[in-house]
Amino acid sequence: MSAPAGSPHPAASTRIPPKLGGAAVSGAAAGPGPAPHQQNGPAQNQMQVPPGYGLHPQNYNVPSGHYSQGPGKTTSLPLDSQSGGYYSGVYTIPTQNVVTPNTANQQSGAQQIYGRGPPAPHIVGSTPGYFQGAASSSSHLHTSASQPYSSFVNHYNSPAMYSANSPAVSQGFPSTCGHYAVSTVSNAAYPSVSYPSLPAGDPYGQQMFTSQNASTIRSVRENSFSGQNTAVSHPSPLPPPPSQQYHQQLSLSGYSPLSWSASGLPSTQDNLIRNHSGSLATANNNPNAVAESSSCPVMQTVQPPESSPVVSTVVSGASSARAPPTANHLVETVASVTQPSELLQQKGMQYGDYVNNQASSAPTPLSSTSDDEEEEEDEEAGVDSSSTTSSASPMPNSYDALEGGSYPDMLSSSASSPAPDPAPESDPAPAPVPAVPQPSKTTKPFGYGYPTLQPGYQNAAAPLSSGVQPSSPVYSGFQPYAQQYPGMNQLSSSFGGLSLQSSAQPESLRPVNLTQERNILPMTPVWAPVPNLNLDLKKLNCSPDSFRCTLTNIPQSQVLLNKAKLPLGLLLHPFRDLTQLPVITSNTIVRCRSCRTYINPFVSFIDQRRWKCNLCYRVNDVPEEFMYNPLTRSYGEPHKRPEVQNSTVEFIASSDYMLRPPQPAVYLFVLDVSHNAVEAGYLTILCQSLSENLDKLPGDSRTRIGFVTFDSTIHFYNLQEGLSQPQMLIVSDIDDVFLPTPDSLLVNLYESKELIKDLLNALPNMFINTRETHSALGPALQAAFKLMSPTGGRVSVFQTQLPSLGAGLLQSREDPNQRSSTKVVQHLGPATDFYKKLALDCSGQQTAVDLFLLSSQYSDLASLACMSKYSAGCIYYYPSFHYTHNPSQAEKLQKDLKRYLTRKIGFEAVMRIRCTKGLSMHTFHGNFFVRSTDLLSLANINPDAGFAVQLSIEESLTDTSLVCFQTALLYTSSKGERRIRVHTLCLPVVSSLADVYAGVDVQAAICLLANMAVDRSISSSLSDARDALVNAVVDSLSAYGSTVLNVQHSALIAPTSLKLFPLYVLALLKQKAFRTGTSTRLDDRVYAMCQIKCQPLVHLMKMIHPNLYRIDRLTDEGAIHVNDRVVPQPPLQKLSAEKLTREGAFLMDCGSAFYIWVGKSCDNNFIEDVLGYPNFASIPQKMAHLPELDTLSSERARSFVTWLRDSRPLSPILHVVKDESPAKTEFFQHLIEDRTEAAFSYYEFLLHIQQQICK
Amino acid sequence: MEAVVFVFSLLDCCALIFLSVYFIITLSDLECDYINARSCCSKLNKWVIPELIGHTVVTVLMLVSLHWFIFLLNLPVATWNVYRFIMVPSGNMGVFDPTEIHNRGQLKSHMKEAMIKLGFHLLCFFMYLYSMILALIND
């Protein structure tokens, strides 16, 4: 529990980032409660977030935070019901697993957002503790399936147990008799138990019984049990004090068995009492998983093959146990349970054999202490409301555990996820209950779930994990995974006989015949695949918006990677605007002593005092301060610290991380005021925008600002406080620029605000009669550098023409006749090294140069861009800018400026990317200067900057099953605080080619390829780059065909994960940056290349492959709600003219521009209601706005457009294109599936690839 | 006369060996992060032309003094030096460009190149030494 400022333990108090949601903040304000007590507090009966808990979500609920925040700026993910499944799979589930009561609450919130069922506490949750959980779940089971299976149950207790979800067993009773006892007992008990009456004494009595059995193993437990029982027996709103005591004791004691039991105790009470037991439910789940594992041996001994139905129920039971948290209330549980179970029965039948095998393969009962510990953690998490939003037990106790199997959570999840739909397409994570009855609906076109891997990993992990197997029957058919672990021969061989084989192939590997499949593009936006990790890691993993890898399954060796012929690299968006970010203030930032990795959720704690780095495997000590958890205010829980609960965190750095005192925010504007610039009229817009946003410029009281203008001379402005008006100082010696009055040119924004405003008012008219056509950009930049070098900061350069005087002058290199040349495109590289040198000088002085190029003719962007590229600036380009002739560009500039001036900024930043030993980074893409092998020097960092890194595998990764990547961005915030933002991504390692293909993130791969192609076209030639792109498709598809499919098809086959690959590559080839044959101005092309280099993935994808929607029939079906607005979510159309009908109107989202194409015979209602004109003929040729009309369809269209627009940093211009207007070529050139005179259609492209492959 | 040629070649070769060693040391400094790319590259770029000249002179000298075998041995390396120097893109800051040295394994290839040159110059060194002694004896 992070008490905001007044925390008694300031040493590690957490801060609330400024961007928190309002609700969260209020929660924080109300949340003074001490963590351990809260549960027992008066708020228990409430369904709502107890005040204390409220704090949590706020600060630490990163997982849910990201996603629940909805389609904000960055994610822009429509959270409609369709995607609900996905979300739930990936992100909600994590929260579900969260054991903390508070998370339960959060969870409910999240669910609401996702439009799922009522998040109310369900039965499982309500059942207290794992023991009760067991009882309850088992009872569910019974209800659902008891009749048909009763016989089974009797015979085969263990399966029943599973299904029973009985956590008691999960506690890891080593003795089979214990199991028996439990299961039998439960069997006996449950039929009699009615569901609503769950909290009643019956089940608990049973529990008692079991617990007693258990107690033979651990007397401590017995105590706890008895405590539980008391709790149970007193379902009074206030839990009995003894339990509290226990709890506290235990939390201190950390890993001791006592602690878990004790912790379980209060939580059970809580849940019981509160009814808001989502958290507990998860607790139940975990044990349940263990229970499965432990029960395996039992099965082995007892179970004949007929047990399959039971097994199915088992699975269903697990799922039910899990699922309820999502949606069902106590009473409803029954229904929910039954549904899946029925569904699953059929499946279960199939897997029966498998289970047996499993059992046989898992000879050791799972009673290891590590399991206990994990459970204990879970329990504690459940108890400690204060623990972060994240998971129950993020912290594996050993690396083995981390790698694989022994995660109870994971088990349960895996059990549950297959449950609703064992078919490979099933969502990777447990589907919400409502979805269970209709697996087909939950099925997503992108089935990255193929959780098949999990069993494999689990196998690899340890004997314990074998117990996990029962959860995986669904995947049993997927042989490769099992086979890759030699130790599991038995297992894999047993798989061999399964009938599942064919059906259990992961969706992402399903072969797709590209030439046959006409509608390759899914109806919904393509999401990032989810790395195939166990659920705990999944929910801890970094958001794909910040951190993506082209291969979500990292191949084991470079040889394997070479075989796959796919690019391996990372795509980063490290400084993305986040609404929720845990900010940690701590005296010591815990890092690995040898590789300096920041502690992260994927490290393993060897014991309480030591942790093992997940990048270099060094064992480090846990510092004393880290033992104290400011959230729970408890000691001895290093794994509960927010650093270890969130993969994206921000540290407030101490002075160790400063080379000098944090710099103030310093902004310098370097403005072109030559005739050309005045003619274009940008000054008016800039000055207006600047004076409007002067107060919103990020910074503190030290913020400084300055102005330099230039034509053939350089003009400085003395704005020193005390002057009556701004003083202009002209330096005409451009060969040796000097600063006339070094002190008063950069002035404090607040002290000189009046002068600055005067200057901004005066500037647009000062040069109105200028005759000066020359532009001495180079000297002006040198002056700016001199001005900035003492502090560092941001230089914004506005340039409107080719620099023609002084250092850095450039000649026109473009030959307009070559614009549509199909052969050679020259001059993509810079003409001089002046700008590069300048940029490096600036970078050395922590100054970034941002370039706004507003020119009507060629301005050699290729050379000019260097000043931004290497100083970590950004580049904006407004071709043929004119404030009256081209109002849409003017408006765009205005909006871009608003964003530019007010967005977050980090100064004097460096970013270091680390990866697990064995991997190495060899090439970086983006705007920065690579100072040393893995250190990027970023003078400024802005939220719109994306980066890409290419990786190679230097050493074989055979001895690890996970690899991690960590980026640490150290920057000075505009408030003068030194901060470190750390993202950590964890990915599995695979050894078979099929797995590599299954895990391809095609969007990330395309973006990386685009970056590589830009490099290639600059260093070599454009045609080389184009060939390389085509070869990338040809190579990867032929490699897939020859190695994975092993058959020589004449057809063009791709795995589902790669099915969009050819389409995207074709889109790239038709992109401005790489296209040939179509007239493209050199600056446009170079700008597109710059964009490719520095745009984050989400925005880049729209640039490469625009989204096309039909908007004349928007409905509320599947609409999402954003800020009280209903945003319709029309399906994506493929980019082909065949989709355009004359009766419709279509919106194309190209990232930087929107086109609304209106068909000739478009419905007049639409034209009138949305466009505001009576009929098609009256629509003007140039229309850049949707009028605000008071009609439903207008509202829908506008909210949709606004929603799309809000999701990106560059505000796109809207063009309404009539079917007949000349502007329609602009629109049609984006229809990349169609043939143009210079390029293939999609089908032709496929044929071309096919030819190449067959060659 | 011949002795003079080889004495000069020997001295030149020594200089080139030292230069190669210097390249290797500086590059490995960069690899180990002891210096930053900017200063590394400006240090190295300074010596690219001297190296080029030093090596071309020896090569030409061998041609002039009609030592065909040694000339042919030197020719590829000299050509490579010239080619590398000419092919530097206009926007780069020399053969070693700080913005690219960490990209696409350039650092490694530079290192490899410096190693190969070191080996080559050592070979030449002994060859010149042998030839010089032979020439001195013949005189």
Side-chain angles (χ1 to χ4, degrees), chain A residues 28-45:
Chain A
H37 296 278
Q38 283 174 356
Q39 304 195 344
N40 299 330
Q44 283 168 346
N45 282 332

Side-chain angles (χ1 to χ4, degrees), chain A residues 830-833 836-837 840-841 870 922-924 929-933 954 1015 1019, chain B residues 30-31 33 36-38 90-93 97-100 102-105 107-108:
Chain A
T832 163
D833 63 356
K836 189 187 254 186
K837 275 182 178 154
L840 293 183
D841 288 337
Y870 301 108
H922 60 87
T923 305
F924 301 90
F929 171 51
V930 192
R931 208 151 67 190
S932 68
T933 43
E954 296 212 315
D1015 273 5
S1019 67
Chain B
L30 178 65
E31 226 171 14
D33 234 351
N36 73 47
R38 186 88 203 270
S90 55
N92 277 16
M93 296 164 69
D97 189 285
T99 59
E100 289 178 7
H102 284 297
N103 271 7
R104 281 165 303 214
L107 184 55
K108 271 186 195 148

Side-chain angles (χ1 to χ4, degrees), chain A residues 716-719 723 725-729 741 744-745 755 759:
Chain A
F716 297 91
Y717 296 87
N718 184 348
L719 299 166
L723 290 175
Q725 60 174 29
Q727 208 175 28
M728 182 164 150
L729 306 158
T741 55
S744 52
L745 299 178
L755 284 176
L759 177 63

Side-chain angles (χ1 to χ4, degrees), chain A residues 541-830:
Chain A
N541 222 345
C542 197
S543 147
D545 292 325
S546 312
F547 212 149
R548 263 167 101 159
C549 184
T550 55
L551 302 178
T552 54
N553 293 326
I554 303 289
Q556 212 169 40
S557 62
Q558 184 71 35
V559 180
L560 191 60
L561 177 61
N562 291 343
K563 267 191 212 154
K565 309 262 187 201
L566 290 164
L568 176 59
L570 302 171
L571 284 119
L572 310 171
H573 189 183
F575 203 56
R576 194 165 80 85
D577 287 322
L578 296 169
T579 49
Q580 288 180 327
L581 172 71
V583 180
I584 294 157
T585 315
S586 175
N587 288 337
T588 51
I589 295 174
V590 183
R591 301 174 68 179
C592 172
R593 287 175 68 89
S594 73
C595 67
R596 308 301 291 151
T597 299
Y598 295 83
I599 197 166
N600 59 67
F602 311 105
V603 302
S604 45
F605 280 84
I606 291 168
D607 56 40
Q608 221 179 341
R609 308 293 312 199
R610 289 180 303 162
W611 61 278
K612 190 170 168 191
C613 175
N614 52 342
L615 268 64
C616 68
Y617 307 124
R618 187 199 152 103
V619 176
N620 295 278
D621 291 335
V622 176
E624 189 60 29
E625 190 189 340
F626 202 73
M627 296 298 291
Y628 173 77
N629 186 348
L631 293 183
T632 55
R633 294 196 188 165
S634 57
Y635 185 83
E637 291 177 334
H639 53 279
K640 293 284 170 54
R641 296 265 305 192
E643 295 94 317
V644 190
Q645 297 282 333
N646 294 286
S647 58
T648 297
V649 292
E650 190 155 285
F651 296 97
I652 310 273
S654 62
S655 55
D656 301 345
Y657 292 84
M658 302 171 193
L659 294 174
R660 55 174 186 177
Q663 67 163 81
V666 181
Y667 304 107
L668 178 66
F669 293 86
V670 178
L671 312 173
D672 182 1
V673 291
S674 61
H675 177 75
N676 199 22
V678 174
E679 180 63 29
Y682 81 90
L683 273 175
T684 326
I685 297 171
L686 170 69
C687 291
Q688 190 191 343
S689 179
L690 193 52
S691 49
E692 274 168 16
N693 292 305
L694 214 48
D695 295 326
K696 294 183 205 151
L697 280 178
D700 53 12
S701 59
R702 301 178 299 161
T703 307
R704 292 159 75 188
I705 194 168
F707 295 88
V708 172
T709 56
F710 65 94
D711 40 34
S712 61
T713 55
I714 301 169
H715 324 128
F716 297 91
Y717 296 87
N718 184 348
L719 299 166
Q720 190 64 281
E721 191 190 6
L723 290 175
S724 59
Q725 60 174 29
Q727 208 175 28
M728 182 164 150
L729 306 158
I730 300 177
V731 173
S732 54
D733 182 5
I734 55 169
D735 294 327
D736 182 20
V737 186
F738 60 93
L739 301 181
T741 55
D743 305 333
S744 52
L745 299 178
L746 278 175
V747 293
N748 188 296
L749 175 60
Y750 299 99
E751 288 167 5
S752 306
K753 192 173 259 174
E754 286 312 308
L755 284 176
I756 293 166
K757 287 206 162 158
D758 286 351
L759 177 63
L760 289 176
N761 286 335
L763 255 186
N765 301 320
M766 270 163 81
F767 300 93
I768 207 126
N769 295 319
T770 185
R771 295 287 171 90
E772 193 55 74
T773 54
H774 282 296
S775 157
L777 176 66
L781 286 172
Q782 286 171 330
F785 168 65
K786 282 187 180 163
L787 204 51
M788 296 296 278
S789 51
T791 51
R794 182 175 78 186
V795 177
S796 314
V797 177
F798 289 77
Q799 172 72 7
T800 59
Q801 58 174 319
L802 211 56
S804 54
L805 267 187
L809 70 93
L810 298 167
Q811 261 87 40
S812 177
R813 297 190 291 168
E814 187 189 33
D815 176 1
N817 300 326
Q818 294 291 312
R819 277 180 188 164
S820 57
S821 152
T822 50
K823 295 190 184 74
V824 189
V825 178
Q826 284 176 311
H827 308 307
L828 292 171

Side-chain angles (χ1 to χ4, degrees), chain A residues 2 23 118 121 249 294 305 317 347 429 484 531 561 580 583 654 687 702 721 789 872 883 894 936 944 1022 1094 1234 1254:
Chain A
S2 69
Q249 249 179 347
S294 58
K347 316 263 183 184
Q484 67 201 38
L561 177 61
Q580 288 180 327
V583 180
S654 62
C687 291
R702 301 178 299 161
E721 191 190 6
S789 51
Y883 72 115
Q894 207 171 2
L936 310 183
D944 305 329
L1022 192 66
C1094 64
D1234 290 341
C1254 292

